[in-house]
Amino acid sequence: MKTEFDKGEGKMQKTNKGTFKAALKEYKASKAAVDNLEERINRKDRALCANYGHDGLSWTMENDADFEAVLVELEKYVESTGLQEQVSDARKKFQEAEQGFARVAVGLMPNAYAVERAALVDKVERDYSTLQKVINLALDLDVRTIP
C-alpha cells in the first residue's frame, strides 16, 4: 500500500483523517481475508478429524496414524482448492497493510517529534513487536481526534 511516506523521495508528510481511515479500512479488510481463509482450512481440518473420531484440530490428535491420514487428506484438499496460494497471497497483502497502517499511524505524531517519528518509522519496519504495538495503539485511537 502506498502511503504518505512513499511520496516525494522518502520525506514524511502529515497524515490526515482520510489517509488514516483508508489505511485502517485496508488493514481490517486484509486481516479479515486471512482470517476467513484460515477458518475454511480449520473447518475442513475439524471435519476430517471427526471422521477419525477426534474432536478438535489435527495437531491435537494423539494417534499418529490418524494424524498422518488427516494431514494427507487436508493437504490434498488445500492443494485441490487452491487455498494455499490464496492464503499466501492474503498474508502478503496483510503484511503490506500492517506496514502501511503503522506508517500512517506514526505519521500522526506532531512535527515537534520529527526525529522520534523518523526513528519509529525505521523501527516499525525492522521490529515486529514494535509494529504490533503501534498498530494496537492506532486501533485504540479515536478517529474523531485526528485533524
Coordinates of all heavy atoms in Angstrom, one line a residue, residues 85-136:
E85 N -2.3 -21.0 -2.1 CA -2.0 -19.8 -2.8 C -2.8 -18.6 -2.3 O -2.3 -17.5 -2.2 CB -2.1 -20.0 -4.3 CG -1.1 -21.0 -4.9 CD -1.6 -22.4 -4.8 OE1 -2.8 -22.7 -4.5 OE2 -0.7 -23.3 -4.8
Q86 N -4.1 -18.9 -2.1 CA -4.9 -17.8 -1.6 C -4.5 -17.3 -0.3 O -4.4 -16.1 0.0 CB -6.4 -18.3 -1.6 CG -7.0 -18.5 -2.9 CD -8.4 -19.1 -2.8 OE1 -9.1 -18.8 -1.8 NE2 -8.8 -20.0 -3.7
V87 N -4.2 -18.2 0.6 CA -3.7 -17.8 2.0 C -2.4 -17.1 1.9 O -2.2 -16.1 2.5 CB -3.6 -19.1 2.9 CG1 -2.9 -18.7 4.2 CG2 -5.0 -19.6 3.2
S88 N -1.5 -17.6 1.1 CA -0.2 -17.0 0.9 C -0.3 -15.5 0.4 O 0.3 -14.6 0.9 CB 0.7 -17.8 0.0 OG 1.9 -17.2 -0.2
D89 N -1.1 -15.4 -0.7 CA -1.4 -14.0 -1.2 C -2.1 -13.1 -0.2 O -1.7 -11.9 0.0 CB -2.3 -14.1 -2.5 CG -1.5 -14.7 -3.6 OD1 -0.3 -14.9 -3.6 OD2 -2.2 -15.1 -4.6
A90 N -3.0 -13.6 0.5 CA -3.7 -12.8 1.6 C -2.8 -12.4 2.7 O -2.9 -11.3 3.2 CB -4.9 -13.6 2.1
R91 N -1.9 -13.3 3.1 CA -0.9 -13.0 4.1 C 0.0 -11.9 3.7 O 0.4 -11.0 4.5 CB -0.2 -14.2 4.6 CG -1.0 -15.1 5.5 CD -0.2 -16.3 6.0 NE -1.0 -17.1 6.8 CZ -0.8 -18.4 6.9 NH1 0.2 -19.0 6.2 NH2 -1.6 -19.2 7.7
K92 N 0.5 -12.0 2.4 CA 1.4 -11.0 1.9 C 0.7 -9.6 1.9 O 1.3 -8.6 2.3 CB 1.8 -11.4 0.5 CG 2.8 -10.5 -0.1 CD 3.3 -10.9 -1.4 CE 4.3 -10.0 -2.0 NZ 4.8 -10.4 -3.3
K93 N -0.6 -9.6 1.4 CA -1.3 -8.3 1.4 C -1.5 -7.8 2.8 O -1.5 -6.6 3.1 CB -2.7 -8.5 0.7 CG -2.5 -8.7 -0.8 CD -3.9 -8.9 -1.4 CE -3.7 -9.2 -2.9 NZ -5.0 -9.5 -3.6
F94 N -1.8 -8.7 3.8 CA -2.0 -8.3 5.1 C -0.7 -7.7 5.7 O -0.7 -6.7 6.4 CB -2.4 -9.5 6.0 CG -2.6 -9.2 7.4 CD1 -3.5 -8.2 7.9 CD2 -1.9 -9.8 8.4 CE1 -3.6 -7.9 9.2 CE2 -2.0 -9.5 9.7 CZ -2.9 -8.6 10.1
Q95 N 0.5 -8.3 5.4 CA 1.7 -7.7 5.9 C 2.0 -6.3 5.4 O 2.4 -5.4 6.1 CB 2.9 -8.7 5.6 CG 2.9 -9.9 6.4 CD 3.9 -10.9 6.0 OE1 4.5 -10.8 4.9 NE2 4.2 -11.9 6.8
E96 N 1.6 -6.2 4.1 CA 1.8 -4.8 3.5 C 0.8 -3.8 4.1 O 1.2 -2.7 4.4 CB 1.5 -4.9 2.0 CG 2.6 -5.7 1.2 CD 2.2 -6.0 -0.3 OE1 1.1 -5.6 -0.7 OE2 3.0 -6.6 -1.0
A97 N -0.4 -4.3 4.4 CA -1.4 -3.4 5.0 C -0.9 -3.1 6.5 O -1.1 -1.9 6.9 CB -2.7 -4.1 5.0
E98 N -0.4 -4.0 7.2 CA 0.1 -3.8 8.5 C 1.2 -2.7 8.5 O 1.1 -1.7 9.3 CB 0.8 -5.0 9.1 CG -0.1 -6.0 9.8 CD 0.6 -7.1 10.4 OE1 1.6 -7.6 9.8 OE2 0.2 -7.5 11.5
Q99 N 2.2 -2.8 7.6 CA 3.2 -1.9 7.5 C 2.7 -0.5 7.1 O 3.1 0.5 7.7 CB 4.3 -2.3 6.4 CG 5.1 -3.4 6.8 CD 6.2 -3.0 7.9 OE1 6.6 -1.9 8.0 NE2 6.6 -4.0 8.7
G100 N 1.8 -0.4 6.1 CA 1.2 0.8 5.7 C 0.4 1.5 6.8 O 0.5 2.7 7.0
F101 N -0.4 0.7 7.5 CA -1.2 1.3 8.6 C -0.3 1.8 9.7 O -0.5 2.9 10.2 CB -2.2 0.2 9.1 CG -3.1 0.7 10.2 CD1 -3.8 1.8 10.1 CD2 -3.1 0.0 11.4 CE1 -4.7 2.3 11.1 CE2 -4.0 0.5 12.4 CZ -4.7 1.6 12.3
A102 N 0.7 1.1 10.0 CA 1.7 1.5 11.1 C 2.4 2.8 10.7 O 2.5 3.8 11.5 CB 2.7 0.4 11.4
R103 N 2.8 2.9 9.4 CA 3.5 4.1 8.9 C 2.5 5.3 9.0 O 2.9 6.4 9.4 CB 4.0 3.9 7.5 CG 5.3 3.1 7.4 CD 5.9 3.2 6.1 NE 5.1 2.8 5.0 CZ 5.0 1.6 4.5 NH1 5.8 0.6 5.0 NH2 4.3 1.3 3.5
V104 N 1.3 5.1 8.6 CA 0.3 6.2 8.6 C 0.0 6.6 10.1 O 0.0 7.8 10.4 CB -1.0 5.8 7.9 CG1 -2.1 6.7 8.2 CG2 -0.8 5.7 6.4
A105 N -0.1 5.6 11.0 CA -0.3 5.9 12.4 C 0.9 6.7 13.0 O 0.6 7.7 13.7 CB -0.5 4.6 13.2
V106 N 2.1 6.3 12.7 CA 3.3 7.1 13.1 C 3.2 8.5 12.6 O 3.7 9.4 13.2 CB 4.6 6.3 12.8 CG1 5.8 7.2 13.1 CG2 4.6 5.0 13.6
G107 N 2.7 8.7 11.4 CA 2.6 10.0 10.8 C 1.7 10.9 11.5 O 1.8 12.1 11.3
L108 N 1.0 10.4 12.4 CA 0.1 11.3 13.2 C 0.9 12.1 14.3 O 0.3 13.0 14.9 CB -1.0 10.5 13.9 CG -2.0 9.8 13.0 CD1 -2.9 8.9 13.8 CD2 -2.8 10.9 12.3
M109 N 2.1 11.6 14.6 CA 2.9 12.3 15.6 C 3.1 13.8 15.1 O 3.4 14.0 14.0 CB 4.2 11.6 15.8 CG 4.1 10.2 16.4 SD 5.7 9.3 16.5 CE 6.6 10.3 17.7
P110 N 3.1 14.7 16.1 CA 3.3 16.1 15.7 C 4.7 16.4 15.2 O 5.6 15.6 15.4 CB 3.1 16.8 17.1 CG 2.5 15.9 18.0 CD 2.8 14.5 17.5
N111 N 4.8 17.4 14.4 CA 6.1 17.8 13.8 C 7.2 18.1 14.8 O 8.3 17.9 14.5 CB 5.9 19.0 12.9 CG 5.2 18.6 11.6 OD1 5.2 17.5 11.2 ND2 4.5 19.6 11.0
A112 N 6.8 18.4 16.0 CA 7.8 18.7 17.1 C 8.6 17.4 17.4 O 9.7 17.5 17.9 CB 7.1 19.2 18.3
Y113 N 8.0 16.3 17.0 CA 8.7 15.0 17.3 C 9.1 14.3 16.0 O 9.1 13.1 15.8 CB 7.7 14.0 18.0 CG 7.3 14.5 19.3 CD1 6.0 15.1 19.5 CD2 8.1 14.4 20.4 CE1 5.6 15.6 20.8 CE2 7.7 14.9 21.7 CZ 6.5 15.5 21.8 OH 6.1 15.9 23.1
A114 N 9.6 15.1 15.1 CA 10.0 14.6 13.7 C 11.2 13.6 13.9 O 11.2 12.6 13.2 CB 10.5 15.8 12.8
V115 N 12.1 13.8 14.7 CA 13.3 12.9 14.9 C 12.8 11.6 15.5 O 13.1 10.5 15.0 CB 14.3 13.5 15.8 CG1 15.4 12.5 16.1 CG2 14.9 14.8 15.2
E116 N 11.9 11.7 16.5 CA 11.4 10.4 17.1 C 10.5 9.7 16.1 O 10.5 8.5 16.0 CB 10.6 10.8 18.3 CG 11.4 11.3 19.5 CD 11.7 12.8 19.5 OE1 11.4 13.4 18.4 OE2 12.2 13.3 20.4
R117 N 9.7 10.5 15.3 CA 8.9 9.9 14.3 C 9.7 9.1 13.3 O 9.4 8.0 12.9 CB 8.0 10.9 13.6 CG 7.1 10.4 12.6 CD 6.1 11.4 12.0 NE 6.9 12.6 11.6 CZ 6.4 13.8 11.4 NH1 5.1 14.1 11.8 NH2 7.1 14.8 11.0
A118 N 10.8 9.7 12.8 CA 11.6 9.0 11.8 C 12.2 7.8 12.4 O 12.3 6.7 11.7 CB 12.7 10.0 11.3
A119 N 12.7 7.8 13.6 CA 13.3 6.6 14.3 C 12.2 5.6 14.4 O 12.5 4.4 14.3 CB 13.9 7.0 15.6
L120 N 11.0 6.0 14.8 CA 9.9 5.0 15.0 C 9.5 4.3 13.7 O 9.3 3.1 13.6 CB 8.7 5.6 15.7 CG 7.6 4.7 16.2 CD1 8.2 3.6 17.1 CD2 6.6 5.5 16.9
V121 N 9.5 5.1 12.6 CA 9.2 4.5 11.3 C 10.2 3.5 10.9 O 9.9 2.4 10.5 CB 9.1 5.6 10.2 CG1 9.2 5.0 8.8 CG2 7.9 6.5 10.4
D122 N 11.5 3.7 11.2 CA 12.5 2.8 10.9 C 12.4 1.5 11.7 O 12.5 0.4 11.3 CB 13.9 3.4 11.1 CG 15.0 2.5 10.8 OD1 15.0 1.9 9.6 OD2 16.0 2.4 11.6
K123 N 12.1 1.7 13.0 CA 12.0 0.6 13.9 C 10.7 -0.3 13.6 O 10.8 -1.5 13.7 CB 11.9 1.0 15.4 CG 11.9 -0.1 16.3 CD 12.5 0.2 17.7 CE 12.5 -1.0 18.5 NZ 13.2 -0.9 19.7
V124 N 9.7 0.4 13.2 CA 8.4 -0.4 12.8 C 8.7 -1.3 11.6 O 8.2 -2.4 11.6 CB 7.3 0.6 12.5 CG1 6.2 0.0 11.7 CG2 6.7 1.2 13.8
E125 N 9.5 -0.8 10.7 CA 9.9 -1.7 9.5 C 10.8 -2.8 9.9 O 10.8 -3.8 9.2 CB 10.5 -0.8 8.4 CG 9.5 0.2 7.9 CD 10.1 1.1 6.8 OE1 11.4 1.1 6.6 OE2 9.4 1.9 6.3
R126 N 11.5 -2.7 11.0 CA 12.5 -3.8 11.3 C 12.1 -4.7 12.4 O 12.5 -5.8 12.5 CB 13.8 -3.1 11.7 CG 14.6 -2.5 10.6 CD 15.9 -1.9 11.0 NE 15.8 -0.8 11.9 CZ 16.1 -0.8 13.2 NH1 16.5 -1.9 13.8 NH2 15.9 0.3 14.0
D127 N 11.2 -4.2 13.3 CA 10.9 -4.9 14.5 C 9.4 -5.2 14.6 O 8.5 -4.3 14.7 CB 11.3 -4.1 15.7 CG 11.1 -4.8 17.1 OD1 11.2 -6.0 17.1 OD2 10.8 -4.1 18.1
Y128 N 9.0 -6.5 14.6 CA 7.6 -6.9 14.6 C 6.9 -6.5 15.8 O 5.7 -6.1 15.8 CB 7.5 -8.4 14.3 CG 6.1 -8.9 14.1 CD1 5.4 -8.6 12.9 CD2 5.4 -9.6 15.1 CE1 4.1 -9.0 12.8 CE2 4.1 -10.0 15.0 CZ 3.5 -9.7 13.8 OH 2.2 -10.1 13.6
S129 N 7.5 -6.6 17.0 CA 6.8 -6.3 18.2 C 6.5 -4.8 18.3 O 5.4 -4.4 18.7 CB 7.6 -6.7 19.4 OG 8.8 -6.0 19.5
T130 N 7.4 -4.0 17.8 CA 7.1 -2.5 17.7 C 6.0 -2.3 16.7 O 5.1 -1.4 17.0 CB 8.4 -1.7 17.3 OG1 9.4 -2.0 18.2 CG2 8.1 -0.2 17.2
L131 N 6.0 -3.0 15.6 CA 4.9 -2.8 14.6 C 3.6 -3.2 15.3 O 2.6 -2.4 15.1 CB 5.1 -3.8 13.4 CG 4.0 -3.9 12.4 CD1 3.9 -2.7 11.6 CD2 4.2 -5.2 11.6
Q132 N 3.5 -4.3 16.0 CA 2.3 -4.6 16.7 C 1.8 -3.6 17.8 O 0.6 -3.3 17.9 CB 2.4 -6.0 17.3 CG 2.5 -7.1 16.3 CD 1.3 -7.1 15.3 OE1 0.2 -7.1 15.7 NE2 1.6 -7.1 14.0
K133 N 2.8 -3.1 18.5 CA 2.5 -2.1 19.5 C 1.9 -0.8 18.8 O 0.9 -0.3 19.3 CB 3.7 -1.7 20.3 CG 4.1 -2.8 21.3 CD 5.4 -2.4 22.0 CE 5.9 -3.6 22.8 NZ 7.2 -3.3 23.4
V134 N 2.5 -0.4 17.8 CA 2.0 0.8 17.1 C 0.6 0.5 16.5 O -0.3 1.4 16.6 CB 2.9 1.2 15.9 CG1 2.3 2.3 15.0 CG2 4.2 1.8 16.5
I135 N 0.4 -0.6 15.9 CA -1.0 -1.0 15.4 C -2.0 -1.0 16.5 O -3.1 -0.5 16.4 CB -0.9 -2.3 14.6 CG1 -0.2 -2.1 13.3 CG2 -2.3 -2.9 14.4 CD1 0.1 -3.4 12.5
N136 N -1.7 -1.7 17.6 CA -2.6 -1.7 18.7 C -3.0 -0.3 19.3 O -4.1 -0.1 19.6 CB -2.1 -2.6 19.9 CG -2.1 -4.1 19.5 OD1 -2.9 -4.5 18.6 ND2 -1.2 -4.9 20.1

